[in-house]
Amino acid sequence: MTKLLIADRDHNERAGISWLVSSYAIPFDKVLLAGSVAALFQIMETEIPDVVCIEIDMIPKDQWDNFRELTKRYIQKVIVMTAEATFERAIQGIELHAYDLWVKHKSPDYMKQVLNKCYKSLIKTKEKHYPDNILNTQSAVSYRSLFLPHETASTHSRLLLMQLENPKKQTLLLSFLQEYPFHNPPVLLPLSNMIVCVFIFDLRYPLKHLKHIGNRILTEWEERYSEPLSLVLYDTNNPSLSLNEKYLHARQALEIRFFKGYRQLSVIEEKVNWVIIDPFLTPSEQREWINMLNDADRDKLKHWMYQEFLNLTEPYPEPGLLRTRLTSILAQVRRFMKSHNLDEGTIEVRYHQVFETILYNPILYRIVQEFLLYLFEVFEQAKRHKDVSRKDIIEQAILYIEGHYHNPDLRLEDVASHVGRSPAYFSSLVTKRQGSSFRQLLTAIRIKEAQRLLLDTKISVQEIAEKTGFINANYFSKVFKGKMGITPRSYRNHKG
């Protein structure tokens, strides 16, 4: 279908040219009319006319660049009309690559002659770029030719694959493409997780034109919706490839988003050849990870992960192997968790979430960020667990001492053995947590109990010394006075 748009502020001018086209049977299939700049821009974008007959004086200076860009993007031929034959108008016509320049009022015969020539030139251009055998092939493009290896389609097909991050929004993308003003619409083949656009072009049609279309689609989609979209344009000079083979290569190329992310157009001219790597950590890398984890060295771990996964360049490693490598690293983290008794509760739930992220998240950068956040959570949990563990040891030790202080032979080694620590470690831990030595802690507990017995009972000082673990009454009295400043008898009498 060929379309002619007549844009003029004067209703009579619009009606006159439209009448001329109709009366002289100039074979445009559809004639569109615009009386304002807003209507002109809307029709140009929605109807995509082949020819625009425009009163150039109606375009204000602040809208000129927009009009010129729309003309370049959508319109094949432009006829410029003006009320004044000025140098400025001539320059504007040249900028638009105008087919002809009319100074009002041209004779109907001249206008008819130009419009007829413009139409014939337009038809020849279409036949040149879209001969019948190519246009007919478009109807042969189907799911069958896409999926079956022995089905053939036009060797002039180019594929543009589109994949949303959220497949539930695919209906929205399909509607967007169905309404999109393609100059020569592609065959749209929606699949469960992508939409395949098959463009039929003469090989002389430049690839950069389709790249321009892909980037424009991406830009306009972003302006209207916030859903991340990935595009792969597949073009090859190999005429022997079937549509099915092209589709398989293009589908594989969609995996490039694993490295580049969404909101990108990737142009692929050959099958993607992934680099094969050994995904498992070497013994030296395992030792390095053990050291980094034990040191909780966040900066070193972050640098290692960024260097290993986020500084990759083409040709890229096979994405599945990188996922395996990440799970190999996660196994080291798992061992660290077990050694700190962290394999339960919320941190265990987070471990399984990170494992799922590694397996299924489509973007490598997101996986690495999630992995690092989880690592830092593990370090925080390990630190808290260590602090709690230390606190528990002291509490266990105090409870044991309170149950055995009456034993004059109670030693540091006995209590350390009870809490499962070496005497040296336990001694330093008591000093750090309690601010006193083991002997001072034991003595304080004995003196506290002696105070209670002196005040609450009438038993002798000798008996109190025996009940609180002192070897004799004299030693008890000496220690008591050293702590309290008075003898046990004075302390009891002071009560009265």
Side-chain angles (χ1 to χ4, degrees):
M1 175 181 284
T2 53
K3 301 177 185 178
L4 169 66
L5 170 60
I6 302 168
D8 198 302
R9 290 170 295 181
D10 189 326
H11 171 75
N12 292 328
E13 290 285 348
R14 299 195 304 273
I17 299 173
S18 179
W19 174 85
L20 184 72
V21 172
S22 175
S23 298
Y24 287 94
I26 302 172
F28 286 101
D29 297 303
K30 190 173 183 179
V31 176
L32 307 159
L33 304 177
S36 67
V37 173
L40 168 66
F41 285 5
Q42 181 182 7
I43 293 172
M44 287 176 70
E45 290 186 307
T46 58
E47 293 285 345
I48 317 294
D50 299 283
V51 179
V52 173
C53 189
I54 173 77
E55 177 207 2
I56 201 70
D57 313 81
M58 75 186 292
I59 308 296
K61 287 184 178 180
D62 62 347
Q63 293 291 328
W64 173 253
D65 289 339
N66 289 339
F67 173 68
R68 184 176 57 189
E69 179 60 29
L70 282 174
T71 302
K72 179 181 177 182
R73 183 185 299 182
Y74 296 120
I75 311 305
Q76 295 194 40
K77 298 187 183 299
V78 181
I79 297 173
V80 172
M81 300 183 292
T82 180
E84 300 178 72
T86 63
F87 178 74
E88 180 183 0
R89 294 292 179 255
I91 291 297
Q92 287 178 319
I94 291 171
E95 285 185 37
L96 297 174
H97 302 283
Y99 185 80
D100 202 2
L101 174 64
W102 295 348
V103 179
K104 295 182 178 180
H105 297 275
K106 284 288 186 179
S107 69
D109 285 341
Y110 181 82
M111 295 167 68
K112 177 187 72 172
Q113 183 182 12
V114 171
L115 286 169
N116 267 315
K117 286 182 177 180
C118 185
Y119 176 82
K120 291 177 182 178
S121 174
L122 177 69
I123 295 302
K124 285 182 179 179
T125 300
K126 285 192 172 185
E127 289 176 348
K128 176 182 178 182
H129 290 296
Y130 306 99
D132 290 341
N133 65 322
I134 289 181
L135 293 175
N136 290 338
T137 304
Q138 189 161 357
S139 62
V141 174
S142 64
Y143 288 103
R144 185 180 180 87
S145 59
L146 192 68
F147 292 127
L148 298 183
H150 301 299
E151 292 287 321
T152 57
S154 169
T155 56
H156 305 296
S157 60
R158 290 186 176 127
L159 301 185
L160 184 62
L161 270 55
M162 304 185 185
Q163 190 169 58
L164 288 166
E165 182 173 18
N166 183 0
K168 293 181 179 179
K169 299 292 184 178
Q170 186 148 298
T171 303
L172 183 65
L173 177 59
L174 181 60
S175 298
F176 173 82
L177 293 172
Q178 289 171 336
E179 298 170 2
Y180 194 81
F182 292 104
H183 201 74
N184 294 283
V187 178
L188 300 178
L189 299 174
L191 306 179
S192 61
N193 63 343
M194 71 182 76
I195 295 179
V196 180
C197 304
V198 184
F199 291 85
I200 308 300
F201 286 131
D202 186 284
L203 289 178
R204 292 166 290 179
Y205 211 96
L207 174 62
K208 67 179 182 181
H209 174 73
L210 194 52
K211 288 170 63 177
H212 174 71
I213 292 174
N215 282 314
R216 199 173 74 219
I217 287 173
L218 196 58
T219 299
E220 295 183 20
W221 171 263
E222 287 287 322
E223 289 173 353
R224 291 174 60 179
Y225 307 103
S226 59
E227 298 295 330
L229 177 65
S230 177
L231 277 68
V232 164
L233 171 58
Y234 181 78
D235 178 74
T236 179
N237 294 323
N238 187 346
S240 65
L241 290 181
S242 66
L243 185 62
N244 169 254
E245 290 172 305
K246 293 179 181 180
Y247 163 68
L248 293 177
H249 292 176
R251 187 180 67 180
Q252 183 190 37
L254 273 174
E255 287 292 316
I256 289 177
R257 76 180 182 283
F258 185 67
F259 302 95
K260 294 185 176 181
Y262 285 92
R263 299 182 171 91
Q264 300 282 340
L265 170 66
S266 298
V267 181
I268 307 298
E269 298 184 24
E270 299 292 341
K271 178 182 178 181
V272 176
N273 292 311
W274 305 113
V275 174
I276 303 302
I277 63 168
D278 181 356
F280 300 105
L281 294 178
T282 64
S284 62
E285 288 174 329
Q286 290 181 16
R287 287 193 297 272
E288 185 178 8
W289 265 90
I290 290 170
N291 292 334
M292 290 189 295
L293 290 169
N294 288 334
D295 295 340
D297 194 332
R298 301 186 182 205
D299 290 338
K300 192 172 182 179
L301 281 164
K302 184 176 179 180
H303 176 77
W304 197 98
M305 292 290 286
Y306 275 38
Q307 190 66 32
E308 182 74 12
F309 296 107
L310 301 186
N311 286 329
L312 299 170
T313 56
E314 295 187 62
Y316 295 116
E318 200 279 318
L321 294 177
L322 283 184
R323 294 183 191 274
T324 301
R325 185 160 179 78
L326 283 158
T327 59
S328 178
I329 296 170
L330 190 62
Q332 295 295 322
V333 179
R334 181 69 166 177
R335 294 188 186 98
F336 176 81
M337 290 169 59
K338 284 183 174 293
S339 69
H340 288 75
N341 299 314
L342 297 177
D343 52 340
E344 59 183 17
T346 57
I347 199 70
E348 175 72 6
V349 173
R350 285 284 292 122
Y351 167 81
H352 291 286
Q353 290 173 346
V354 172
F355 186 78
E356 292 286 316
T357 297
I358 291 172
L359 292 183
Y360 301 115
N361 194 295
I363 307 300
L364 180 58
Y365 176 80
R366 295 179 188 169
I367 295 174
V368 170
Q369 293 302 313
E370 184 70 13
F371 197 117
L372 286 171
L373 288 173
Y374 173 66
L375 266 180
F376 300 157
E377 288 178 34
V378 169
F379 291 152
E380 288 297 324
Q381 286 279 10
K383 183 177 182 300
R384 283 196 292 269
H385 192 272
K386 189 175 182 180
D387 290 341
V388 169
S389 177
R390 285 177 175 174
K391 182 178 180 182
D392 288 346
I393 290 171
I394 296 300
E395 289 178 351
Q396 291 174 38
I398 290 174
L399 286 173
Y400 185 81
I401 294 170
E402 287 175 344
H404 297 80
Y405 64 86
H406 58 276
N407 179 7
D409 296 324
L410 183 65
R411 302 173 304 155
L412 167 71
E413 289 79 4
D414 299 326
V415 183
S417 176
H418 175 73
V419 296
R421 298 293 186 274
S422 70
Y425 176 78
F426 176 67
S427 177
S428 65
L429 189 60
V430 169
T431 302
K432 182 177 181 181
R433 300 290 297 181
Q434 299 298 115
S436 60
S437 68
F438 168 75
R439 181 55 58 183
Q440 289 170 328
L441 175 62
L442 175 59
T443 299
I445 291 173
R446 284 172 169 169
I447 293 297
K448 183 177 180 182
E449 177 62 12
Q451 287 177 281
R452 185 187 71 80
L453 293 172
L454 286 167
L455 296 177
D456 295 344
T457 71
K458 293 182 179 181
I459 62 176
S460 67
V461 171
Q462 176 68 38
E463 288 179 284
I464 291 175
E466 292 174 358
K467 286 182 178 292
T468 53
F470 291 97
I471 55 176
N472 56 57
N474 290 334
Y475 180 67
F476 165 59
S477 297
K478 180 180 178 182
V479 173
F480 190 93
K481 184 175 182 180
K483 289 289 184 183
M484 305 302 298
I486 55 177
T487 66
R489 287 187 174 83
S490 297
Y491 182 83
R492 173 177 274 177
N493 294 335
H494 182 70
K495 171 192 175 184

